[in-house]
Amino acid sequence: MDAGNARRAGASTEPESFLIGKALEDDISTRRMLEERKVRVAGNNALTDFRGTEFNSKAETVEADVCLDVSASRVIAEDGTDLTPADRGSLVSIRVLLVSSGASLKISESNPSEKTCVAH
């Protein structure tokens, strides 16, 4: 989250260093799509909850449910128009799969989840 927020703020930190596999491919394709449509995401997202749901020691993976507060971020068109959907909720639930990569874990998949996030 912090790396994505920093990238939107113009810092040299790249979220790709924390991604692998499908999550990395999705991040790259989302960046391209935003550039092609001449829109950007402004503002920060915040991690409000992280709950591990499954650990697989043989595959060296962790599944987790993550809640993000996206209320401070907006989708902005090239001309400054706010394109953020009016019905977008302030909390987003995501299921992530983390895989072992050297001495750390990297996000391999990140998909919308049906879980309900609760504000803290």
Side-chain angles (χ1 to χ4, degrees):
M1 228 10 52
D2 291 340
N5 289 336
R7 176 171 65 191
R8 283 190 293 282
S12 62
T13 302
E14 287 298 321
E16 284 90 357
S17 61
F18 303 101
L19 306 174
I20 195 169
K22 184 179 180 310
L24 177 58
E25 293 168 12
D26 289 348
D27 184 71
I28 292 168
S29 89
T30 297
R31 286 180 69 186
R32 283 187 187 137
M33 182 268 304
L34 291 172
E35 288 173 17
E36 288 169 4
R37 294 183 181 177
K38 298 183 186 210
V39 297
R40 63 184 173 84
V41 178
N44 291 336
N45 295 320
L47 178 70
T48 62
D49 196 26
F50 179 98
R51 295 184 191 261
T53 59
E54 187 175 323
F55 170 67
N56 183 323
S57 60
K58 288 183 182 181
E60 298 182 321
T61 61
V62 174
E63 284 188 38
D65 289 322
V66 176
C67 287
L68 304 176
D69 181 340
V70 298
S71 61
S73 66
R74 314 302 298 160
V75 179
I76 307 295
E78 186 176 41
D79 66 1
T81 304
D82 186 344
L83 302 175
T84 309
D87 62 348
R88 180 186 78 173
S90 61
L91 297 174
V92 175
S93 180
I94 298 173
R95 169 67 56 101
V96 296
L97 175 65
L98 299 113
V99 299
S100 178
S101 178
S104 65
L105 292 173
K106 291 190 176 188
I107 299 171
S108 172
E109 292 183 34
S110 176
N111 299 299
S113 172
E114 296 299 318
K115 295 277 185 178
T116 301
C117 290
V118 178
H120 293 268

